[in-house]
Amino acid sequence: MMKKSATMSIVLCLLMVSSAALTKVVTPTRMMADGRDKLQLDTMIPTTFGDWEVDTSIVPLQVDPETQARLDRIYNQTLSRTYVNRDGERVMLSMAYGGDQGDSMGVHRPEVCYAAQGFEIEGAQFDSLATRYGALPVKRLLAVSGSRSEPITYWITIGDKMTRPDFQQRLQRLRYGLEGTVPDGMLVRVSSIDTDVKRAYALQAGFIQALLGQLSVKDRTRLIGTFSG
């Protein structure tokens, strides 16, 4: 079994090196989104949960019109909200869902979007966020513009698997492609304004835990997939 798995991994890696060759071998035609329940982000994500509620007095950072137009072509739905807890701490939640993520989810990762808005990106690193549902593979980074310091935690779900936004993300898309399937995908970003990065990441971790605990099993799976490791 291990030999078979290793051989498959080698084959997949070789295929990824030559995308032109892969296109000739297989062209995915089955849309995963067509066989799944219709997603509605604004109703799936509660406006109140745990110690958090939507703060309607604050509007999340908006992207420029050109970037927004590109996002609209890639994603079917987006959601942006700011939540506040009883201590007055605020966390921004942004989500983007696309029914066709065959090759474009990586184009607008937060480090790309923020850089396009003039932010400097610092301290980007992969991390593991411990939750009661498993250790989630996330990426963390700091976006800085003038006096604004915004630590960010985000993750990507391709199909029914949560994956790191790097080689693993491309590999996951390829696996679906070899099955003739075009996966859907979701990007979830959680951020806050804070010069204390460690404190911000701890706040975000608590927010994510509370959110996941409020969702049904079905909705939680759409956010973090079936990843459990």
Side-chain angles (χ1 to χ4, degrees):
M1 180 65 69
M2 291 182 62
K3 183 177 180 180
K4 181 178 179 181
S5 177
T7 301
M8 184 60 176
S9 295
I10 292 174
V11 172
L12 290 173
C13 289
L14 290 174
L15 287 173
M16 290 183 68
V17 173
S18 177
S19 59
L22 176 59
T23 300
K24 294 180 180 179
V25 173
V26 57
T27 300
T29 57
R30 185 174 66 253
M31 302 295 295
M32 174 177 280
D34 292 341
R36 311 182 78 173
D37 292 340
K38 182 176 175 58
L39 195 66
Q40 197 64 44
L41 292 179
D42 59 352
T43 56
M44 184 177 81
I45 305 302
T47 55
T48 61
F49 55 88
D51 191 30
W52 298 92
E53 65 179 5
V54 169
D55 183 354
T56 56
S57 69
I58 295 181
V59 179
L61 180 68
Q62 300 297 307
V63 300
D64 62 81
E66 182 179 350
T67 299
Q68 186 61 54
R70 292 198 299 269
L71 291 173
D72 291 340
R73 287 194 296 269
I74 293 174
Y75 301 121
N76 301 115
Q77 291 186 56
T78 59
L79 176 72
S80 294
R81 290 176 180 168
T82 297
Y83 288 81
V84 61
N85 64 15
R86 294 188 186 93
D87 295 324
E89 298 169 310
R90 290 178 171 80
V91 166
M92 292 169 284
L93 172 67
S94 294
M95 302 174 63
Y97 169 79
D100 179 353
Q101 294 304 311
D103 60 4
S104 56
M105 175 66 86
V107 175
H108 292 289
R109 297 192 305 270
E111 52 265 52
V112 177
C113 279
Y114 275 77
Q117 300 295 305
F119 283 79
E120 295 292 331
I121 305 301
E122 304 174 3
Q125 61 180 336
F126 293 111
D127 206 345
S128 180
L129 196 158
T131 76
R132 71 192 71 169
Y133 311 104
L136 309 183
V138 300
K139 190 169 186 180
R140 284 174 164 151
L141 54 97
L142 175 64
V144 179
S145 178
S147 60
R148 182 186 179 102
S149 174
E150 185 173 347
I152 298 166
T153 299
Y154 81 93
W155 69 84
I156 289 174
T157 302
I158 299 294
D160 61 356
K161 296 292 183 181
M162 188 171 173
T163 178
R164 282 173 35 165
D166 60 354
F167 175 82
Q168 290 184 7
Q169 177 189 346
R170 297 190 295 274
L171 186 61
Q172 187 64 25
R173 288 201 305 262
L174 178 57
R175 289 182 187 276
Y176 278 112
L178 290 175
E179 298 172 355
T181 300
V182 178
D184 58 359
M186 187 180 303
L187 188 151
V188 182
R189 185 186 82 222
V190 176
S191 64
S192 48
I193 307 301
D194 200 334
T195 55
D196 187 330
V197 176
K198 185 176 180 180
R199 178 177 62 194
Y201 288 150
L203 178 68
Q204 293 166 21
F207 175 87
I208 293 168
Q209 285 270 28
L211 173 58
L212 294 179
Q214 186 67 30
L215 299 176
S216 67
V217 174
K218 182 180 71 174
D219 289 341
R220 186 167 58 245
T221 300
R222 297 300 293 268
L223 254 64
I224 63 175
T226 56
F227 177 85
S228 58

